[in-house]
Amino acid sequence: MSDVDTGSARLEAEAEQERTLDRLEARMEALQLSLRTRRTSPRFALWRHDLRETRETWFRLVDPDGQDPTPEGS
């Protein structure tokens, strides 16, 4: 594989990761809105769990060795 192919593959992988992070961010925002506006919904616990998992995935992709600086339940 040439340097050009390697560089292209790396750029595509980085672009895909950015798209994934953008989708996860949008999902977190939607879940946070649902949690704020529909506290009495029977789905509240599910949304909260989904938000926690989505946030963990986002942080794992951004910094595989780091930790989520956001306290649980916020």
Side-chain angles (χ1 to χ4, degrees), residues 14-49:
E14 289 173 2
E16 181 59 34
Q17 182 174 12
E18 283 298 316
R19 288 189 291 270
T20 299
L21 291 171
D22 288 345
R23 285 191 300 270
L24 289 169
E25 259 184 282
R27 182 171 183 78
M28 285 190 291
E29 289 174 10
L31 287 165
Q32 287 169 340
L33 178 63
S34 294
L35 288 170
R36 281 194 305 271
T37 59
R38 300 182 185 120
R39 290 196 177 275
T40 59
S41 172
R43 295 187 182 124
F44 184 83
L46 178 62
W47 290 333
R48 190 170 167 178
H49 175 77

